[in-house]
Amino acid sequence: MPRTMTPALLDLVADRFKALADPARLRLLNALRDGERTVSELVEATDLTQANTSKHLALLHTLGFVKRRREASWTYYALGDRDVLRLCDLMCGRIEAEVERRARMLE
Amino acid sequence: MPRTMTPALLDLVADRFKALADPARLRLLNALRDGERTVSELVEATDLTQANTSKHLALLHTLGFVKRRREASWTYYALGDRDVLRLCDLMCGRIEAEVERRARMLE
DNA sequence: TACGAATATAACTATATGGTTATATCCTAG
DNA sequence: CTAGGATATAACCATATAGTTATATTCGTA
């Protein structure tokens, strides 16, 4: 975080964290782990409705978390870059640490 | 992100991203960059109301993003660990990259 | 051209949550 | 033990948004 966090920059950062702050969107990103998928494949993989899936994907795309490629009548989505998973991994690491800390307190 | 993202784990991750998905809380974390601060100092630094500040700090504390220490009638808050800023830096890095990409497209 | 599959969007509702005001709690001084 | 400062909590309202249903769009094909 740069020292000079203007209110505008703070809003941008907050918006991006907000995009990751939803279980449905995290499921979608996780489903893209192994490569690109069509919307229908993502619907299948995540158990979300088609409309809901499209809406979430649109948001993730706007913020660059996923990229897309049209081919015939399908849209293939893929992770935007490696940062996405790195962010999630960092968060998971925190949770693991927390769980361990709690386990140790119960010993 | 581990391969097996159970719904419960997804909720935990989402909750943590949600904590960072608010400009007011980001301001508080940023204000803690250089070390611990009392609540009143944070109120002063962020222009939030006292009640609002306390509420946000309570949430950040629950999730381990800040730690606190009571001394006399003051509560000193500090960053929970280095991950917090690392997460924000990653996000800022994404934004910078995005801005640059856009600038290049206008050339 | 008309149809159907794949995807996107619009309108709506219900819920979650950020900010405020008011009050409670905790601590120290006198 | 009372007063006052520092912090936390409660109750409330207004807004934002996730999910749904319905419809629009886009594209290949009969």
Side-chain angles (χ1 to χ4, degrees):
Chain A
M1 198 151 38
R3 232 136 258 266
T4 60
M5 291 289 282
T6 68
L9 181 52
L10 284 168
D11 284 344
L12 293 178
V13 176
D15 283 345
R16 276 147 189 83
F17 277 125
K18 204 173 294 179
L20 301 184
D22 181 86
R25 286 192 288 270
L26 292 177
R27 262 202 278 178
L28 287 167
L29 293 172
N30 194 48
L32 291 173
R33 206 176 230 305
D34 298 319
E36 62 179 13
R37 295 276 184 277
T38 67
V39 176
S40 354
E41 287 170 337
L42 290 171
V43 167
E44 167 76 17
T46 59
D47 267 321
L48 301 172
T49 63
Q50 181 270 316
N52 203 10
T53 302
S54 273
K55 204 163 68 163
H56 285 308
L57 288 171
L59 177 69
L60 290 172
H61 183 255
T62 301
L63 296 176
F65 287 115
V66 299
K67 52 190 174 190
R68 67 180 160 205
R69 171 174 78 82
R70 311 233 26 177
E71 184 175 318
S73 15
W74 295 278
T75 310
Y76 285 89
Y77 281 87
L79 293 178
D81 55 53
R82 283 292 118 193
D83 280 359
V84 193
L85 294 184
R86 212 174 308 153
L87 283 161
C88 294
D89 284 340
L90 255 174
M91 223 31 128
C92 282
R94 291 181 56 78
I95 294 171
E96 281 170 27
E98 199 177 317
V99 169
E100 274 188 33
R101 217 176 308 124
R102 270 189 213 162
R104 230 177 301 135
M105 290 184 71
L106 291 178
E107 279 167 9
Chain B
M1 199 152 37
R3 236 140 254 264
T4 61
M5 290 290 281
T6 67
L9 181 52
L10 284 168
D11 285 343
L12 293 178
V13 176
D15 284 345
R16 276 146 190 83
F17 277 125
K18 203 173 295 178
L20 301 184
D22 181 86
R25 286 191 290 269
L26 290 176
R27 262 201 279 178
L28 288 167
L29 293 172
N30 195 47
L32 291 174
R33 211 176 225 307
D34 299 317
E36 59 178 16
R37 296 277 182 276
T38 67
V39 176
S40 355
E41 286 169 339
L42 290 171
V43 167
E44 167 78 17
T46 60
D47 267 321
L48 301 172
T49 63
Q50 181 270 317
N52 203 9
T53 302
S54 273
K55 204 163 67 162
H56 285 308
L57 289 171
L59 177 68
L60 290 171
H61 182 255
T62 301
L63 296 176
F65 288 114
V66 299
K67 52 191 173 188
R68 66 180 158 203
R69 170 173 79 82
R70 312 235 23 178
E71 184 174 320
S73 17
W74 295 277
T75 310
Y76 286 88
Y77 281 87
L79 294 177
D81 54 53
R82 283 292 120 191
D83 280 357
V84 193
L85 294 183
R86 213 175 305 154
L87 282 161
C88 294
D89 284 341
L90 254 175
M91 222 35 127
C92 283
R94 292 183 56 79
I95 294 171
E96 280 171 26
E98 198 177 319
V99 169
E100 275 189 29
R101 219 176 306 126
R102 269 188 214 164
R104 232 177 299 138
M105 291 184 70
L106 290 178
E107 277 169 9

